[in-house]
């Protein structure tokens, strides 16, 4: 009887080991969540058997992390990740999810809780480095020039924002196919004004009333693609990086601040009329 009991115990243990192996196989090659990075490679019995209370308590090393150092590391990780993705045009779903994970971590370390009340940081020229917006990806540009000129593709997008008065200008450099650039130039500009959304202290509402492209001038209501930037909540801002969200969940725009002496492209001649 004792032998039979020991045999059943042994078989149960083997079954549990087999189950653990199958679970490990199921997750083999699966990307480990960023939150697990701190315990990656932990396999000692003491770590595996840690109590729930112990797991919830941050380690001494984690508690001593300097927020500025952590921000700097996260920013560099983010910029390295988006650099080869052509503003998001060449990104896949997994890459966009990776970006959103880092964005969430940065937002938790936001050093500027009231960005619209910090004009010395807010105003200036900011270059778009990445967006998860499908509308921008679909037309290969923020201003949607691709809808008017087939195969046109954005090369750079600058958000020029000023305070007192609250002036805003979008400057999009475009690569046109063939001879179109001879007529349209290579830059489109939208300009107008911004204001703070009522009851939403970190949300900026932009009203661009004119769009300029080469010798042509349009009312902005003809450029519906600009609506993706009409209402944006700024969720992170420091001296060099700004992150803002659109109305749709998981739609983010990431901007990097340009130096004050950054040379702008030649602006459309229609702006002088």
């Amino acid at each position: 009887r004792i032998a039979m009991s020991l045999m059943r115990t042994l078989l149960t243990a083997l079954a549990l080991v087999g189950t653990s192996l199958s679970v490990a196989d199921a997750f083999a090659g699966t990307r480990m969540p960023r939150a697990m990075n701190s315990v990656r490679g932990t396999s000692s019995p003491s770590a595996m058997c840690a109590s729930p209370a112990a797991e919830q308590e941050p380690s001494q090393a984690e508690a001593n992390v300097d927020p500025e150092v952590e921000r700097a590391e996260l920013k560099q990780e983010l910029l390295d990740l988006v650099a080869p993705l052509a503003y998001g045009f060449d990104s896949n779903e997994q890459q966009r999810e990776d970006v959103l994970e880092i964005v969430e971590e940065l937002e938790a370390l936001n050093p500027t809780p009231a960005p619209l009340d910090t004009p010395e940081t807010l105003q200036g020229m900011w270059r778009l480095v990445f967006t998860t917006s499908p509308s921008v990806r679909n037309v290969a540009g923020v201003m949607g020039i691709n809808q008017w000129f087939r195969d046109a593709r954005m090369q750079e997008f600058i958000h020029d924002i000023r305070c007192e008065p609250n002036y805003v200008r979008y400057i999009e450099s475009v690569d046109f196919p063939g001879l179109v650039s001879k007529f349209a130039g290579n830059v489109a500009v939208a300009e107008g004004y911004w204001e703070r959304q009522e009851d939403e202290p970190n949300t900026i509402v932009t009203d661009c009333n004119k769009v300029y492209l080469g010798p042509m001038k349009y009312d902005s209501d003809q450029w519906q693609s600009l609506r993706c930037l009409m209402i944006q909540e700024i969720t992170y801002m420091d001296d060099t990086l700004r992150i803002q969200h659109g109305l749709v969940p998981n739609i983010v725009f990431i901007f990097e601040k340009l130096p004050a002496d950054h040379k702008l492209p030649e602006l459309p001649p229609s702006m002088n009329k």
Side-chain angles (χ1 to χ4, degrees):
R1 187 175 302 170
I2 294 173
M4 290 294 292
S5 177
L6 289 172
M7 182 63 72
R8 280 196 293 269
T9 301
L10 179 59
L11 289 172
T12 301
L14 289 172
L16 289 173
V17 171
T19 302
S20 300
L21 289 174
S22 64
V23 170
D25 288 342
F27 285 93
T30 301
R31 182 182 182 276
M32 184 177 290
R34 293 177 51 79
M36 295 292 288
N37 285 348
S38 60
V39 295
R40 180 179 287 133
T42 301
S43 57
S44 65
S46 59
M48 296 293 288
C49 299
S51 66
E55 291 176 0
Q56 293 175 2
E57 295 177 3
S59 67
Q60 187 65 33
E62 290 174 334
N64 293 334
V65 172
D66 184 340
E68 290 190 15
V69 173
E70 189 174 2
R71 271 197 298 270
E73 292 176 349
L74 286 169
K75 285 169 59 177
Q76 191 59 56
E77 183 180 358
L78 178 62
L79 293 174
D80 289 345
L81 176 60
V82 304
L85 302 180
Y87 309 105
F89 302 158
D90 300 335
S91 65
N92 58 42
E93 184 175 355
Q94 183 59 60
Q95 290 166 328
R96 291 190 290 274
E97 289 178 1
D98 291 343
V99 167
L100 290 172
E101 286 185 23
I102 303 176
V103 162
E104 186 175 356
E105 292 184 55
L106 273 172
E107 289 170 341
L109 299 169
N110 182 21
T112 314
L116 299 185
D117 294 325
T118 316
E120 64 276 10
T121 304
L122 176 64
Q123 68 179 4
M125 292 182 290
W126 298 79
R127 177 168 51 202
L128 180 70
V129 294
F130 186 84
T131 179
T132 58
S133 169
S135 62
V136 173
R137 287 199 311 277
N138 290 342
V139 296
V142 177
M143 296 178 67
I145 295 173
N146 181 283
Q147 299 175 88
W148 296 66
F149 301 98
R150 186 177 179 182
D151 297 327
R153 184 179 172 96
M154 185 183 85
Q155 297 300 304
E156 183 180 61
F157 183 83
I158 294 174
H159 184 193
D160 182 11
I161 184 168
R162 306 175 199 174
C163 306
E164 298 181 1
N166 296 346
Y167 172 81
V168 66
R169 179 171 61 169
Y170 301 134
I171 305 168
E172 183 170 320
S173 299
V174 184
D175 181 23
F176 285 105
L179 298 176
V180 174
S181 61
K182 298 294 183 182
F183 168 73
N186 294 99
V187 178
V189 176
E191 62 177 359
Y193 295 90
W194 67 269
E195 63 182 5
R196 187 196 311 260
Q197 182 169 333
E198 188 176 356
D199 300 326
E200 296 288 344
N202 295 336
T203 298
I204 184 171
V205 180
T206 302
D207 181 17
C208 287
N209 46 32
K210 292 295 179 184
V211 175
Y212 306 90
L213 177 61
M216 301 169 288
K217 182 188 298 185
Y218 303 92
D219 292 330
S220 63
D221 56 7
Q222 295 175 280
W223 296 80
Q224 296 186 10
S225 58
L226 282 172
R227 293 178 182 176
C228 67
L229 287 173
M230 186 176 291
I231 302 176
Q232 295 268 303
E233 180 187 7
I234 301 175
T235 55
Y236 178 93
M237 187 175 74
D238 62 28
D239 291 339
T240 61
L241 192 76
R242 192 179 87 228
I243 300 171
Q244 53 195 51
H245 286 251
L247 295 175
V248 180
N250 293 338
I251 300 301
V252 299
F253 290 81
I254 303 170
F255 292 87
E256 189 173 26
K257 197 166 193 179
L258 294 169
D261 60 353
H262 177 77
K263 186 178 180 180
L264 291 172
E266 185 177 350
L267 301 181
S270 53
M271 295 189 69
N272 301 322
K273 296 179 180 180

